[in-house]
Amino acid sequence: GIQVEQSPPDLILQEGANSTLRCNFSDSVNNLQWFHQNPWGQLINLFYIPSGTKQNGRLSATTVATERYSLLYISSSQTSDSGVYYCAVVRYNQGGKLIFGQGTELSVKP
Amino acid sequence: GAGVSQSPSNKVTEKGKDVELRCDPISGHTALYWYRQRLGQGLEFLIYFQGNSAPDKSGLPSDRFSAERTGESVSTLTIQRTQQEDSAVYLCASSPPRRGLEETQYFGPGTRLLVL
């Protein structure tokens, strides 16, 4: 089946810094989502982005489907950005399930 | 509107007991998914319901696990004869019909299961 790899696995930032998280996937995908899992375990939708670029406040994401990667940009990071960021993909011929990467654990220090 | 809800929030049970976990999807969402997240691990797929189609059970780890869904509403995940390795957070998600709409999956808060 399709493999989803995220990098880096861990990231420590000073408040106010910018960062880029990467998601590589091994085959073409129909859907791609980015999530933030906060310290209480809640999975929060960030972007639905099978291709193209989207922005939402300090966050933006770009998926280059032909090259099988997606990037999540966090600008002017805040302590509330801490948590685990997951990339997940769907291939219709493997059903509708999300296949998750192992996540990037982000810690933003004040 | 209301999001995906799950109950109970937390469940502590003894090894060998059966447990039932409940998921209420977002109204109008035809697809419903169950995932599991063990401590410090990523999310793994368990089962997927889409409308009246046969469910995709390919992620269920053993025959102790089963799930049902009533129409396009509530789903129940049942774990029989629980084992300590079943301890995890069980997450439910739902998504709208696949008709050109964004098929974003929305997650509930999860049920934290601890098997002693």
mmCIF file of all heavy atoms in Angstrom, chain B residues 75-114:
data_model
loop_
_atom_site.group_PDB
_atom_site.id
_atom_site.type_symbol
_atom_site.label_atom_id
_atom_site.label_comp_id
_atom_site.label_asym_id
_atom_site.label_seq_id
_atom_site.Cartn_x
_atom_site.Cartn_y
_atom_site.Cartn_z
ATOM 1 N N SER B 75 -22.892 4.882 15.149
ATOM 2 C CA SER B 75 -22.120 3.659 15.012
ATOM 3 C C SER B 75 -21.631 3.208 16.385
ATOM 4 O O SER B 75 -21.351 4.044 17.254
ATOM 5 C CB SER B 75 -20.923 3.873 14.091
ATOM 6 O OG SER B 75 -20.116 2.704 14.029
ATOM 7 N N THR B 76 -21.536 1.896 16.536
ATOM 8 C CA THR B 76 -21.018 1.313 17.771
ATOM 9 C C THR B 76 -19.850 0.389 17.446
ATOM 10 O O THR B 76 -19.978 -0.483 16.574
ATOM 11 C CB THR B 76 -22.106 0.505 18.505
ATOM 12 O OG1 THR B 76 -23.207 1.353 18.787
ATOM 13 C CG2 THR B 76 -21.572 -0.056 19.813
ATOM 14 N N LEU B 77 -18.738 0.595 18.116
ATOM 15 C CA LEU B 77 -17.577 -0.295 17.997
ATOM 16 C C LEU B 77 -17.549 -1.161 19.257
ATOM 17 O O LEU B 77 -17.566 -0.630 20.372
ATOM 18 C CB LEU B 77 -16.284 0.514 17.884
ATOM 19 C CG LEU B 77 -14.972 -0.281 17.835
ATOM 20 C CD1 LEU B 77 -14.867 -1.061 16.524
ATOM 21 C CD2 LEU B 77 -13.764 0.648 17.988
ATOM 22 N N THR B 78 -17.548 -2.469 19.058
ATOM 23 C CA THR B 78 -17.543 -3.400 20.181
ATOM 24 C C THR B 78 -16.241 -4.175 20.211
ATOM 25 O O THR B 78 -15.778 -4.669 19.172
ATOM 26 C CB THR B 78 -18.727 -4.392 20.072
ATOM 27 O OG1 THR B 78 -19.956 -3.660 20.043
ATOM 28 C CG2 THR B 78 -18.736 -5.350 21.244
ATOM 29 N N ILE B 79 -15.653 -4.241 21.382
ATOM 30 C CA ILE B 79 -14.454 -5.052 21.585
ATOM 31 C C ILE B 79 -14.807 -6.119 22.610
ATOM 32 O O ILE B 79 -15.186 -5.815 23.756
ATOM 33 C CB ILE B 79 -13.267 -4.221 22.089
ATOM 34 C CG1 ILE B 79 -13.042 -2.998 21.193
ATOM 35 C CG2 ILE B 79 -12.000 -5.092 22.123
ATOM 36 C CD1 ILE B 79 -11.985 -2.038 21.721
ATOM 37 N N GLN B 80 -14.717 -7.363 22.200
ATOM 38 C CA GLN B 80 -15.035 -8.473 23.097
ATOM 39 C C GLN B 80 -13.761 -8.988 23.759
ATOM 40 O O GLN B 80 -12.675 -8.926 23.175
ATOM 41 C CB GLN B 80 -15.701 -9.606 22.306
ATOM 42 C CG GLN B 80 -17.044 -9.225 21.711
ATOM 43 C CD GLN B 80 -17.657 -10.366 20.914
ATOM 44 O OE1 GLN B 80 -17.004 -10.960 20.061
ATOM 45 N NE2 GLN B 80 -18.914 -10.674 21.205
ATOM 46 N N ARG B 81 -13.930 -9.469 24.973
ATOM 47 C CA ARG B 81 -12.812 -10.110 25.704
ATOM 48 C C ARG B 81 -11.571 -9.230 25.612
ATOM 49 O O ARG B 81 -10.519 -9.632 25.116
ATOM 50 C CB ARG B 81 -12.535 -11.501 25.143
ATOM 51 C CG ARG B 81 -13.761 -12.409 25.125
ATOM 52 C CD ARG B 81 -13.447 -13.779 24.579
ATOM 53 N NE ARG B 81 -12.898 -13.766 23.237
ATOM 54 C CZ ARG B 81 -13.600 -13.618 22.132
ATOM 55 N NH1 ARG B 81 -14.911 -13.439 22.216
ATOM 56 N NH2 ARG B 81 -13.011 -13.639 20.946
ATOM 57 N N THR B 82 -11.683 -8.020 26.109
ATOM 58 C CA THR B 82 -10.609 -7.034 25.962
ATOM 59 C C THR B 82 -9.286 -7.551 26.504
ATOM 60 O O THR B 82 -9.224 -8.293 27.501
ATOM 61 C CB THR B 82 -10.965 -5.721 26.664
ATOM 62 O OG1 THR B 82 -11.356 -5.999 28.016
ATOM 63 C CG2 THR B 82 -12.069 -4.994 25.943
ATOM 64 N N GLN B 83 -8.222 -7.127 25.830
ATOM 65 C CA GLN B 83 -6.849 -7.439 26.221
ATOM 66 C C GLN B 83 -6.121 -6.126 26.520
ATOM 67 O O GLN B 83 -6.539 -5.054 26.062
ATOM 68 C CB GLN B 83 -6.134 -8.171 25.085
ATOM 69 C CG GLN B 83 -6.832 -9.425 24.635
ATOM 70 C CD GLN B 83 -6.835 -10.502 25.712
ATOM 71 O OE1 GLN B 83 -5.795 -10.777 26.317
ATOM 72 N NE2 GLN B 83 -8.002 -11.091 25.966
ATOM 73 N N GLN B 84 -5.018 -6.214 27.235
ATOM 74 C CA GLN B 84 -4.289 -5.001 27.600
ATOM 75 C C GLN B 84 -3.787 -4.264 26.360
ATOM 76 O O GLN B 84 -3.716 -3.022 26.362
ATOM 77 C CB GLN B 84 -3.147 -5.336 28.548
ATOM 78 C CG GLN B 84 -3.633 -5.730 29.937
ATOM 79 C CD GLN B 84 -2.518 -6.044 30.898
ATOM 80 O OE1 GLN B 84 -1.444 -6.486 30.501
ATOM 81 N NE2 GLN B 84 -2.761 -5.832 32.179
ATOM 82 N N GLU B 85 -3.472 -4.987 25.293
ATOM 83 C CA GLU B 85 -2.995 -4.316 24.080
ATOM 84 C C GLU B 85 -4.101 -3.541 23.353
ATOM 85 O O GLU B 85 -3.818 -2.809 22.399
ATOM 86 C CB GLU B 85 -2.360 -5.312 23.096
ATOM 87 C CG GLU B 85 -3.307 -6.331 22.518
ATOM 88 C CD GLU B 85 -3.228 -7.681 23.201
ATOM 89 O OE1 GLU B 85 -2.847 -7.715 24.383
ATOM 90 O OE2 GLU B 85 -3.528 -8.678 22.527
ATOM 91 N N ASP B 86 -5.359 -3.696 23.823
ATOM 92 C CA ASP B 86 -6.454 -2.912 23.232
ATOM 93 C C ASP B 86 -6.486 -1.497 23.807
ATOM 94 O O ASP B 86 -7.220 -0.640 23.309
ATOM 95 C CB ASP B 86 -7.811 -3.580 23.505
ATOM 96 C CG ASP B 86 -7.918 -4.964 22.900
ATOM 97 O OD1 ASP B 86 -7.210 -5.245 21.904
ATOM 98 O OD2 ASP B 86 -8.692 -5.781 23.436
ATOM 99 N N SER B 87 -5.727 -1.245 24.851
ATOM 100 C CA SER B 87 -5.683 0.095 25.447
ATOM 101 C C SER B 87 -5.203 1.098 24.394
ATOM 102 O O SER B 87 -4.130 0.918 23.802
ATOM 103 C CB SER B 87 -4.743 0.124 26.653
ATOM 104 O OG SER B 87 -5.233 -0.715 27.682
ATOM 105 N N ALA B 88 -6.001 2.116 24.186
ATOM 106 C CA ALA B 88 -5.714 3.092 23.127
ATOM 107 C C ALA B 88 -6.798 4.162 23.165
ATOM 108 O O ALA B 88 -7.773 4.056 23.913
ATOM 109 C CB ALA B 88 -5.709 2.418 21.750
ATOM 110 N N VAL B 89 -6.615 5.176 22.316
ATOM 111 C CA VAL B 89 -7.689 6.119 22.051
ATOM 112 C C VAL B 89 -8.365 5.676 20.765
ATOM 113 O O VAL B 89 -7.696 5.457 19.747
ATOM 114 C CB VAL B 89 -7.160 7.558 21.911
ATOM 115 C CG1 VAL B 89 -8.305 8.508 21.570
ATOM 116 C CG2 VAL B 89 -6.451 7.998 23.185
ATOM 117 N N TYR B 90 -9.675 5.539 20.810
ATOM 118 C CA TYR B 90 -10.449 5.139 19.643
ATOM 119 C C TYR B 90 -11.146 6.386 19.105
ATOM 120 O O TYR B 90 -11.937 7.027 19.798
ATOM 121 C CB TYR B 90 -11.448 4.041 20.017
ATOM 122 C CG TYR B 90 -10.728 2.744 20.295
ATOM 123 C CD1 TYR B 90 -10.149 2.509 21.542
ATOM 124 C CD2 TYR B 90 -10.573 1.789 19.300
ATOM 125 C CE1 TYR B 90 -9.437 1.341 21.798
ATOM 126 C CE2 TYR B 90 -9.859 0.626 19.537
ATOM 127 C CZ TYR B 90 -9.291 0.411 20.788
ATOM 128 O OH TYR B 90 -8.577 -0.727 21.026
ATOM 129 N N LEU B 91 -10.811 6.712 17.857
ATOM 130 C CA LEU B 91 -11.295 7.940 17.237
ATOM 131 C C LEU B 91 -12.269 7.609 16.126
ATOM 132 O O LEU B 91 -12.048 6.692 15.337
ATOM 133 C CB LEU B 91 -10.122 8.743 16.669
ATOM 134 C CG LEU B 91 -9.206 9.354 17.730
ATOM 135 C CD1 LEU B 91 -7.792 9.466 17.209
ATOM 136 C CD2 LEU B 91 -9.720 10.719 18.133
ATOM 137 N N CYS B 92 -13.319 8.380 16.066
ATOM 138 C CA CYS B 92 -14.321 8.254 15.019
ATOM 139 C C CYS B 92 -14.264 9.502 14.149
ATOM 140 O O CYS B 92 -13.979 10.607 14.641
ATOM 141 C CB CYS B 92 -15.700 8.120 15.661
ATOM 142 S SG CYS B 92 -17.080 8.057 14.510
ATOM 143 N N ALA B 93 -14.503 9.339 12.866
ATOM 144 C CA ALA B 93 -14.542 10.460 11.937
ATOM 145 C C ALA B 93 -15.705 10.281 10.977
ATOM 146 O O ALA B 93 -16.155 9.152 10.737
ATOM 147 C CB ALA B 93 -13.230 10.566 11.155
ATOM 148 N N SER B 94 -16.200 11.384 10.428
ATOM 149 C CA SER B 94 -17.218 11.298 9.393
ATOM 150 C C SER B 94 -16.878 12.273 8.285
ATOM 151 O O SER B 94 -16.118 13.235 8.486
ATOM 152 C CB SER B 94 -18.619 11.561 9.956
ATOM 153 O OG SER B 94 -18.786 12.914 10.347
ATOM 154 N N SER B 95 -17.427 12.007 7.089
ATOM 155 C CA SER B 95 -17.192 12.897 5.950
ATOM 156 C C SER B 95 -18.443 12.945 5.084
ATOM 157 O O SER B 95 -19.260 12.021 5.109
ATOM 158 C CB SER B 95 -15.977 12.445 5.141
ATOM 159 O OG SER B 95 -16.207 11.214 4.515
ATOM 160 N N PRO B 96 -18.592 14.028 4.306
ATOM 161 C CA PRO B 96 -19.801 14.188 3.497
ATOM 162 C C PRO B 96 -19.792 13.248 2.303
ATOM 163 O O PRO B 96 -18.774 12.618 2.006
ATOM 164 C CB PRO B 96 -19.727 15.656 3.058
ATOM 165 C CG PRO B 96 -18.295 16.006 3.123
ATOM 166 C CD PRO B 96 -17.719 15.191 4.229
ATOM 167 N N PRO B 97 -20.925 13.145 1.590
ATOM 168 C CA PRO B 97 -20.989 12.270 0.425
ATOM 169 C C PRO B 97 -19.964 12.651 -0.626
ATOM 170 O O PRO B 97 -19.640 13.832 -0.794
ATOM 171 C CB PRO B 97 -22.412 12.493 -0.116
ATOM 172 C CG PRO B 97 -23.174 13.050 1.023
ATOM 173 C CD PRO B 97 -22.202 13.824 1.844
ATOM 174 N N ARG B 98 -19.460 11.648 -1.332
ATOM 175 C CA ARG B 98 -18.468 11.870 -2.378
ATOM 176 C C ARG B 98 -19.194 12.281 -3.652
ATOM 177 O O ARG B 98 -19.432 11.505 -4.539
ATOM 178 C CB ARG B 98 -17.645 10.603 -2.614
ATOM 179 C CG ARG B 98 -16.489 10.780 -3.572
ATOM 180 C CD ARG B 98 -15.793 9.472 -3.841
ATOM 181 N NE ARG B 98 -15.230 8.886 -2.644
ATOM 182 C CZ ARG B 98 -14.702 7.661 -2.599
ATOM 183 N NH1 ARG B 98 -14.684 6.914 -3.671
ATOM 184 N NH2 ARG B 98 -14.197 7.196 -1.484
ATOM 185 N N ARG B 99 -19.546 13.558 -3.730
ATOM 186 C CA ARG B 99 -20.211 14.056 -4.945
ATOM 187 C C ARG B 99 -19.629 15.404 -5.305
ATOM 188 O O ARG B 99 -20.311 16.395 -5.398
ATOM 189 C CB ARG B 99 -21.713 14.180 -4.708
ATOM 190 C CG ARG B 99 -22.446 12.868 -4.633
ATOM 191 C CD ARG B 99 -23.934 13.075 -4.769
ATOM 192 N NE ARG B 99 -24.510 13.737 -3.616
ATOM 193 C CZ ARG B 99 -24.983 13.088 -2.559
ATOM 194 N NH1 ARG B 99 -24.937 11.770 -2.517
ATOM 195 N NH2 ARG B 99 -25.518 13.742 -1.558
ATOM 196 N N GLY B 100 -18.325 15.424 -5.484
ATOM 197 C CA GLY B 100 -17.657 16.660 -5.870
ATOM 198 C C GLY B 100 -17.378 17.583 -4.700
ATOM 199 O O GLY B 100 -16.768 18.618 -4.858
ATOM 200 N N LEU B 101 -17.862 17.190 -3.502
ATOM 201 C CA LEU B 101 -17.584 18.021 -2.335
ATOM 202 C C LEU B 101 -16.247 17.621 -1.734
ATOM 203 O O LEU B 101 -15.769 16.525 -1.932
ATOM 204 C CB LEU B 101 -18.680 17.838 -1.283
ATOM 205 C CG LEU B 101 -20.091 18.230 -1.691
ATOM 206 C CD1 LEU B 101 -21.068 17.866 -0.601
ATOM 207 C CD2 LEU B 101 -20.156 19.716 -1.995
ATOM 208 N N GLU B 102 -15.651 18.533 -1.039
ATOM 209 C CA GLU B 102 -14.430 18.178 -0.326
ATOM 210 C C GLU B 102 -14.752 17.075 0.662
ATOM 211 O O GLU B 102 -15.646 17.197 1.479
ATOM 212 C CB GLU B 102 -13.879 19.400 0.410
ATOM 213 C CG GLU B 102 -13.250 20.419 -0.493
ATOM 214 C CD GLU B 102 -12.409 21.421 0.257
ATOM 215 O OE1 GLU B 102 -12.362 21.349 1.495
ATOM 216 O OE2 GLU B 102 -11.807 22.274 -0.405
ATOM 217 N N GLU B 103 -13.983 15.980 0.584
ATOM 218 C CA GLU B 103 -14.253 14.840 1.448
ATOM 219 C C GLU B 103 -13.437 14.923 2.716
ATOM 220 O O GLU B 103 -12.797 13.959 3.114
ATOM 221 C CB GLU B 103 -13.948 13.556 0.710
ATOM 222 C CG GLU B 103 -14.866 13.326 -0.464
ATOM 223 C CD GLU B 103 -14.491 12.072 -1.201
ATOM 224 O OE1 GLU B 103 -14.257 11.037 -0.555
ATOM 225 O OE2 GLU B 103 -14.407 12.147 -2.438
ATOM 226 N N THR B 104 -13.465 16.076 3.334
ATOM 227 C CA THR B 104 -12.726 16.252 4.567
ATOM 228 C C THR B 104 -13.292 15.344 5.641
ATOM 229 O O THR B 104 -14.514 15.291 5.835
ATOM 230 C CB THR B 104 -12.817 17.714 5.034
ATOM 231 O OG1 THR B 104 -12.350 18.561 3.994
ATOM 232 C CG2 THR B 104 -11.996 17.929 6.288
ATOM 233 N N GLN B 105 -12.425 14.619 6.316
ATOM 234 C CA GLN B 105 -12.847 13.809 7.441
ATOM 235 C C GLN B 105 -12.719 14.645 8.711
ATOM 236 O O GLN B 105 -11.668 15.228 8.972
ATOM 237 C CB GLN B 105 -12.016 12.532 7.549
ATOM 238 C CG GLN B 105 -12.262 11.572 6.399
ATOM 239 C CD GLN B 105 -11.644 10.205 6.604
ATOM 240 O OE1 GLN B 105 -11.407 9.764 7.730
ATOM 241 N NE2 GLN B 105 -11.378 9.529 5.503
ATOM 242 N N TYR B 106 -13.808 14.669 9.481
ATOM 243 C CA TYR B 106 -13.851 15.415 10.727
ATOM 244 C C TYR B 106 -13.855 14.422 11.886
ATOM 245 O O TYR B 106 -14.674 13.499 11.907
ATOM 246 C CB TYR B 106 -15.102 16.293 10.781
ATOM 247 C CG TYR B 106 -15.133 17.352 9.716
ATOM 248 C CD1 TYR B 106 -15.677 17.090 8.459
ATOM 249 C CD2 TYR B 106 -14.604 18.616 9.955
ATOM 250 C CE1 TYR B 106 -15.698 18.064 7.472
ATOM 251 C CE2 TYR B 106 -14.625 19.594 8.968
ATOM 252 C CZ TYR B 106 -15.168 19.306 7.735
ATOM 253 O OH TYR B 106 -15.176 20.267 6.763
ATOM 254 N N PHE B 107 -12.972 14.662 12.826
ATOM 255 C CA PHE B 107 -12.783 13.714 13.921
ATOM 256 C C PHE B 107 -13.501 14.135 15.194
ATOM 257 O O PHE B 107 -13.603 15.325 15.512
ATOM 258 C CB PHE B 107 -11.287 13.547 14.228
ATOM 259 C CG PHE B 107 -10.589 12.639 13.268
ATOM 260 C CD1 PHE B 107 -10.220 13.080 12.011
ATOM 261 C CD2 PHE B 107 -10.319 11.325 13.616
ATOM 262 C CE1 PHE B 107 -9.586 12.235 11.110
ATOM 263 C CE2 PHE B 107 -9.685 10.470 12.730
ATOM 264 C CZ PHE B 107 -9.320 10.927 11.478
ATOM 265 N N GLY B 108 -13.963 13.123 15.919
ATOM 266 C CA GLY B 108 -14.490 13.343 17.252
ATOM 267 C C GLY B 108 -13.367 13.424 18.269
ATOM 268 O O GLY B 108 -12.196 13.269 17.919
ATOM 269 N N PRO B 109 -13.710 13.633 19.533
ATOM 270 C CA PRO B 109 -12.695 13.802 20.581
ATOM 271 C C PRO B 109 -12.066 12.491 21.035
ATOM 272 O O PRO B 109 -11.063 12.503 21.738
ATOM 273 C CB PRO B 109 -13.473 14.448 21.719
ATOM 274 C CG PRO B 109 -14.877 13.987 21.513
ATOM 275 C CD PRO B 109 -15.073 13.870 20.022
ATOM 276 N N GLY B 110 -12.644 11.376 20.649
ATOM 277 C CA GLY B 110 -12.069 10.085 20.994
ATOM 278 C C GLY B 110 -12.583 9.514 22.302
ATOM 279 O O GLY B 110 -13.112 10.223 23.163
ATOM 280 N N THR B 111 -12.449 8.196 22.421
ATOM 281 C CA THR B 111 -12.689 7.482 23.681
ATOM 282 C C THR B 111 -11.372 6.869 24.110
ATOM 283 O O THR B 111 -10.752 6.111 23.361
ATOM 284 C CB THR B 111 -13.726 6.359 23.508
ATOM 285 O OG1 THR B 111 -15.010 6.913 23.232
ATOM 286 C CG2 THR B 111 -13.805 5.509 24.777
ATOM 287 N N ARG B 112 -10.950 7.219 25.324
ATOM 288 C CA ARG B 112 -9.706 6.670 25.875
ATOM 289 C C ARG B 112 -10.032 5.397 26.632
ATOM 290 O O ARG B 112 -10.706 5.452 27.662
ATOM 291 C CB ARG B 112 -9.039 7.703 26.783
ATOM 292 C CG ARG B 112 -8.378 8.813 25.997
ATOM 293 C CD ARG B 112 -8.358 10.145 26.716
ATOM 294 N NE ARG B 112 -7.868 11.197 25.812
ATOM 295 C CZ ARG B 112 -8.609 11.775 24.871
ATOM 296 N NH1 ARG B 112 -9.866 11.428 24.713
ATOM 297 N NH2 ARG B 112 -8.087 12.709 24.102
ATOM 298 N N LEU B 113 -9.553 4.282 26.101
ATOM 299 C CA LEU B 113 -9.835 2.972 26.696
ATOM 300 C C LEU B 113 -8.587 2.465 27.405
ATOM 301 O O LEU B 113 -7.505 2.418 26.816
ATOM 302 C CB LEU B 113 -10.252 1.970 25.613
ATOM 303 C CG LEU B 113 -10.459 0.530 26.084
ATOM 304 C CD1 LEU B 113 -11.646 0.440 27.036
ATOM 305 C CD2 LEU B 113 -10.654 -0.404 24.894
ATOM 306 N N LEU B 114 -8.761 2.087 28.665
ATOM 307 C CA LEU B 114 -7.681 1.490 29.438
ATOM 308 C C LEU B 114 -8.146 0.127 29.923
ATOM 309 O O LEU B 114 -9.175 0.016 30.607
ATOM 310 C CB LEU B 114 -7.303 2.368 30.627
ATOM 311 C CG LEU B 114 -6.218 1.809 31.552
ATOM 312 C CD1 LEU B 114 -4.910 1.604 30.798
ATOM 313 C CD2 LEU B 114 -6.008 2.714 32.766
#
